[in-house]
């Protein structure tokens, strides 16, 4: 069950903490213009300052009434929409400025784009994820622009048509298997998510009697938007700018998949036979409610509720206690750092998965069909 529930109007004090994301804009500019040790300010803020603040500030288990009127959420929607010009502006400015910056050597130019990728991956993709779940065309197009700016547009198709449908089953590429390291998971999902997203869109068109190459296939839009960004990279920064843009995109994608890896590691839905699985419930995603990181990532860490009720906007996502959903030991930034060191990650997480299995599925004694490396992905 949810921890608390409140209905209330929203004031500045409620909305302001969710603007912490915009600090990345001046930090990226400082890193690019100053170089040297200043290049560390973005990853330091993203990974370490957040952990320190969450250690001091703790958790926030307050739940807003999920039936809150949509109109009351307009200020929250504006935060996600305003990030779109902020991110695109950062990218275009860096493509113009960094390749020609005489005070930056080659390594510093690369590290500047790595810092940019931390912002576009950690914040940009998170905001795109929020908006692609909405029916509003402006928000959907905004999500497409953000995903194209990191060359990962097919994530929308994969996320909406595959991940939410098949979470916790062998048919979901981004449900990390028990015992699977991130270093194995990452190249696997890069290939399988591209395949599954195309297959899902092709199947949708096929049911309408259409070819997968019809212009209604969103992959045409994805290709056009991504091509536009690649052309802009060359225009603004030359071939060096193109390479730096691709580096930024790779870092952003790696951040996304690190978070995907953490969000569902080892958690599976029970197979009911005949290819059917139980309905998605809060205990099929890892949950955590560290306050500051949830402000920074617009409640993405309340992931249990997002999969349980995917249409909820981020201010209304509910958190759950340990009796209803498995809890991560740390916030997302520190968890993704842990995921980069598999023995450390497994040491902390595998016992938690074992306890989760014993708690929710005591009747399952053989987990071999659910575990990592031995589980093939159906075509």
């Amino acid at each position: 069950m949810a921890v608390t529930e409140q209905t209330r109007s929203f004031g500045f004090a409620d909305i302001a903490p969710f603007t912490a994301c915009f600090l990345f804009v001046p930090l990226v500019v400082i890193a690019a213009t100053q170089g040297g040790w200043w290049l560390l300010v973005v990853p330091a803020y993203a990974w370490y300052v957040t952990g320190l603040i969450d250690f001091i500030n703790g958790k926030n288990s307050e739940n807003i009434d999920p039936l809150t009127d949509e109109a009351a959420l307009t200020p929250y929607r504006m935060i996600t929409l305003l990030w779109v010009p902020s991110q695109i502006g950062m990218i275009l400015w860096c493509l113009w400025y960094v390749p020609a910056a005489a005070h930056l050597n080659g390594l510093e130019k690369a590290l500047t784009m790595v810092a940019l990728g931390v912002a576009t991956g950690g914040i940009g993709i998170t905001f795109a994820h929020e908006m692609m779940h909405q029916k509003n065309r402006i928000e959907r197009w905004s999500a497409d622009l953000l995903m194209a700016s990191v060359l990962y547009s097919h994530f929308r198709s994969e996320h909406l048509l595959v991940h939410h449908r098949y979470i916790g089953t062998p048919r979901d590429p981004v449900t990390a298997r028990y015992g699977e390291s991130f270093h194995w998971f990452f190249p696997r999902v890069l290939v399988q998510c591209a395949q599954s997203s195309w297959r899902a869109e092709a199947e949708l068109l096929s049911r309408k009697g259409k070819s997968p190459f019809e212009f209604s296939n969103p992959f045409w839009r994805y290709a056009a938007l991504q091509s536009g960004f690649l052309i802009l990279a060359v225009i603004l920064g030359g071939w060096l700018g193109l390479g730096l843009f691709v580096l930024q995109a790779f870092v952003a994608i790696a951040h996304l998949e690190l978070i995907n890896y953490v969000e569902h590691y080892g958690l599976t839905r029970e197979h009911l036979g005949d290819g059917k699985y139980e309905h998605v419930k809060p205990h099929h995603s890892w949950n955590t409610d560290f306050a500051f990181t949830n402000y920074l990532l617009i409640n993405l860490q309340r992931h249990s509720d997002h999969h349980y009720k995917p249409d909820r906007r981020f201010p209304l996502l509910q958190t759950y206690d340990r009796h209803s959903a498995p809890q991560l030991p740390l916030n997302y930034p520190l968890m993704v750092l842990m995921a980069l060191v598999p023995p450390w990650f497994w040491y902390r997480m595998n016992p938690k998965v074992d306890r989760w299995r014993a708690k929710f599925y005591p009747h399952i004694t053989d987990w071999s069909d659910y575990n990592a490396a031995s589980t093939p992905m159906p075509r």
Side-chain angles (χ1 to χ4, degrees):
M1 294 181 60
V3 179
T4 61
E5 185 170 304
Q6 294 187 8
T7 303
R8 68 181 188 196
S9 59
F10 303 115
F12 177 78
D14 300 302
I15 299 162
F18 288 102
T19 64
C21 58
F22 290 100
L23 183 56
F24 277 103
V25 178
L27 290 180
V28 167
V29 172
I30 290 171
T33 56
Q34 302 302 310
W37 290 103
W38 287 102
L39 292 168
L40 298 178
V41 297
V42 173
Y45 176 55
W47 299 332
Y48 300 108
V49 173
T50 55
L52 178 61
I53 294 175
D54 277 335
F55 177 77
I56 296 171
N57 199 38
K59 299 182 177 183
N60 177 13
S61 299
E62 175 189 345
N63 285 329
I64 306 301
D65 183 357
L67 299 180
T68 298
D69 185 77
E70 177 80 6
L73 304 178
T74 298
Y76 292 104
R77 291 178 55 220
M78 293 305 300
I79 292 173
T80 55
L81 288 170
L82 286 172
W83 178 260
V84 181
S86 300
Q87 173 162 315
I88 294 175
M90 273 195 303
I91 292 173
L92 298 182
W93 180 80
C94 283
L95 290 173
W96 166 78
Y97 180 83
V98 174
H103 67 287
L104 298 175
N105 60 35
L107 178 60
E108 288 175 319
K109 290 177 181 181
L111 290 176
T112 300
M113 301 308 282
V114 169
L116 177 62
V118 171
T120 58
I123 304 301
I125 296 180
T126 299
F127 283 30
H129 166 259
E130 166 72 13
M131 291 187 286
M132 69 178 60
H133 273 281
Q134 310 309 322
K135 297 178 181 179
N136 183 288
R137 288 177 63 87
I138 294 177
E139 289 176 286
R140 285 262 178 146
W141 269 97
S142 295
D144 284 345
L145 282 171
L146 290 176
M147 295 310 304
S149 73
V150 296
L151 303 178
Y152 216 52
S153 294
H154 66 276
F155 172 71
R156 190 183 91 165
S157 295
E158 190 280 330
H159 186 78
L160 298 179
L161 301 180
V162 182
H163 179 54
H164 271 271
R165 183 177 181 183
Y166 297 118
I167 170 187
T169 77
R171 294 192 64 178
D172 177 32
V174 298
T175 295
R177 279 61 168 161
Y178 184 94
E180 182 178 34
S181 73
F182 174 74
H183 306 294
W184 178 261
F185 169 87
F186 186 41
R188 178 175 68 75
V189 298
L190 289 180
V191 174
Q192 292 179 348
C193 286
Q195 294 173 336
S196 63
S197 58
W198 170 263
R199 190 161 53 242
E201 293 291 358
E203 289 173 356
L204 274 182
L205 290 167
S206 177
R207 287 198 289 270
K208 299 176 183 178
K210 295 182 178 181
S211 163
F213 299 101
E214 291 272 349
F215 280 110
S216 56
N217 189 329
F219 272 76
W220 288 105
R221 180 167 69 253
Y222 301 160
L225 290 173
Q226 291 183 174
S227 297
F229 276 103
L230 290 170
I231 292 169
L232 281 172
V234 175
I235 292 173
L236 292 171
W239 295 112
L240 176 58
L242 178 64
L244 292 173
F245 175 70
V246 172
L247 174 61
Q248 169 271 150
F250 177 80
V251 173
I253 293 167
H255 271 73
L256 164 65
E257 298 303 354
L258 273 164
I259 291 174
N260 274 335
Y261 176 80
V262 168
E263 286 172 337
H264 303 287
Y265 174 78
L267 305 183
T268 53
R269 285 192 279 158
E270 183 177 4
H271 184 227
L272 304 178
D274 297 324
K276 297 180 180 179
Y277 292 83
E278 63 175 315
H279 291 298
V280 179
K281 298 174 184 175
H283 66 261
H284 292 127
S285 305
W286 291 98
N287 181 79
T288 189
D289 48 13
F290 284 99
F292 182 73
T293 312
N294 267 331
Y295 291 138
L296 190 67
L297 300 179
I298 54 172
N299 280 339
L300 183 65
Q301 297 176 134
R302 295 184 170 200
H303 209 61
S304 296
D305 197 51
H306 170 67
H307 274 280
Y308 185 51
K309 298 289 183 181
D311 58 341
R312 278 185 183 157
R313 290 191 179 271
F314 76 86
L316 306 184
L317 289 174
Q318 310 289 286
T319 192
Y320 296 85
D321 60 28
R322 62 185 178 84
H323 300 293
S324 301
Q327 305 292 310
L328 290 173
L330 302 169
N331 64 13
Y332 273 14
L334 295 179
M335 288 303 305
V336 301
L337 290 177
M338 187 189 299
L340 293 172
V341 187
W344 183 23
F345 185 83
W346 292 330
Y347 174 77
R348 293 299 303 272
M349 293 302 294
N350 284 3
K352 285 182 169 291
V353 176
D354 293 338
R355 289 192 292 270
W356 174 87
R357 289 175 170 182
K359 176 181 177 63
F360 291 101
Y361 302 100
H363 55 286
I364 299 179
T365 56
D366 182 6
W367 287 91
S368 58
D369 289 341
Y370 294 87
N371 285 346
S374 62
T375 305
M377 299 301 298
R379 293 183 61 82

